[in-house]
Amino acid sequence: MRNAPLRLQLASRAVCTLVQPPLPLWYNDHYQVSLPSTSSFPMEKYRYIREALQRELEAAGKATFHESPLASIEDLTTVHDGEYVRRYLANELSHKENRRIGFPWSEAGKLRALSSTGGTVAAMHAVCRPGGARFAGHIAGGTHHAFADRGEGYCVFNDIAVAAACALRDYPAIRRVLLVDLDVHQVCSAAADCNGSHRPPLRESSHSGGSTLAQRTEATDLAHRSDRLGTRTEATDL
C-alpha cells in the first residue's frame, strides 16, 4: 500500500471541503493493549491514522480531536445481551470465548473495547442532536463482527449497531438507520444484532470488492444476492 498516505491525505481534504465548522473526530489509541508476539492484529494503525489526520487537519482548523468516552452499560444493552456484557467486563468469559474474540482479556483491553463503542456513540450524538455537526467520525470502532451475545474477529461490542440503536432510542425523528459497510466481506452481525423482536429496525448494505472472505453468514431480514463483485447484502424497503 505504497500510496496509502496520499490516499488518506486526498480523502481527508475531500471530506473537509464539505464540513463547516471543523469536523469532530474521536479516537481511542491512548488505550494501549499488549498483544502476544504471534498476534497479527495491527494495533498501532489507529495511532498512525490519527497522527496523520492531525498533521493534515488540526493545524488548518479543519478538524477537532477528542478522546473517546467509555460506553455505558445502558447503551451497550440496547443491542448486547446483558449477561454477556456483565461477564466480559468481570473477566468471566471462558478461554474459548476470549480466543474467539482474538484478544486475551486485560483491563486495558476492556477500556479499549468500551471506548471503541463510546466514541462511535459520541460521534452519533454530535450529528443527531439539534444544531449538531453535519458530519462526525471515530478513528476506531468498526467492530462489526461482535454479535449480541458473543464477540468475534477482534470485536467485543458492535459499536455500529449500538450507535444506531441509541440514535433510534434517543432521537424520535430518526425512524430507520442504514449502515453502509465497505469491508471485503459481508457484515455478518450488525443487522442480526438489531433486528431481534425487541430491538429497533436496522437496514444494512455491504459491498465487497473482489471475492468475499466470509464462509458463513448470519440470518437477517435482508435480501441476499451474489454478483460478480462478491457477496452483497442489499438494504430493502428503505
Side-chain angles (χ1 to χ4, degrees):
M1 298 180 66
R2 291 182 302 172
N3 295 325
L6 176 60
R7 289 198 297 269
L8 177 62
Q9 185 180 57
L10 293 175
S12 65
R13 288 177 178 175
V15 169
C16 286
T17 58
L18 302 174
V19 181
Q20 294 293 337
L23 174 69
L25 296 171
W26 279 261
Y27 66 91
N28 76 336
D29 59 78
H30 49 291
Y31 292 110
Q32 295 295 318
V33 179
S34 297
L35 299 177
S37 59
T38 55
S39 175
S40 62
F41 187 80
M43 186 69 70
E44 289 297 307
K45 71 177 181 180
Y46 299 100
R47 178 172 62 84
Y48 294 152
I49 293 172
R50 189 256 304 168
E51 290 175 347
L53 289 172
Q54 281 186 303
R55 286 192 298 268
E56 173 72 15
L57 303 177
E58 191 170 44
K62 295 180 178 179
T64 57
F65 292 78
H66 313 272
E67 291 188 1
S68 302
L70 303 182
S72 68
I73 292 177
E74 180 183 8
D75 286 351
L76 291 173
T77 51
T78 57
V79 163
H80 289 285
D81 178 74
E83 182 63 8
Y84 167 66
V85 173
R86 185 198 67 77
R87 290 177 59 238
Y88 175 77
L89 296 179
N91 190 20
E92 293 181 3
L93 296 187
S94 67
H95 174 73
K96 181 179 180 180
E97 288 172 308
N98 280 318
R99 186 170 182 176
R100 194 172 199 174
I101 290 171
F103 296 132
W105 193 94
S106 67
E107 186 67 22
K110 179 183 77 172
L111 296 176
R112 181 182 179 277
L114 289 171
S115 61
S116 289
T117 299
T120 303
V121 173
M124 176 276 295
H125 284 302
V127 170
C128 292
R129 69 169 62 100
R134 185 178 179 187
F135 301 98
H138 190 203
I139 315 170
T143 51
H144 61 181
H145 295 296
F147 289 84
D149 60 352
R150 67 188 187 277
E152 286 188 9
Y154 302 116
C155 304
V156 178
F157 303 122
N158 196 315
D159 67 304
I160 302 169
V162 170
C166 289
L168 291 160
R169 178 196 66 190
D170 295 341
Y171 301 96
I174 298 174
R175 300 181 62 187
R176 289 178 180 166
V177 174
L178 169 67
L179 304 182
V180 178
D181 192 291
L182 302 178
D183 210 338
V184 296
H185 46 226
Q186 187 214 13
V187 181
C188 53
S189 56
D193 282 345
C194 281
N195 284 326
S197 60
H198 63 292
R199 294 191 170 94
L202 182 69
R203 296 293 183 269
E204 179 178 3
S205 181
S206 177
H207 304 273
S208 304
S211 297
T212 179
L213 299 181
Q215 300 300 315
R216 176 177 57 84
T217 60
E218 193 78 5
T220 73
D221 67 347
L222 306 179
H224 296 78
R225 69 178 179 88
S226 295
D227 57 26
R228 61 190 179 90
L229 296 178
T231 299
R232 175 175 291 180
T233 306
E234 291 285 1
T236 59
D237 190 33
L238 286 174

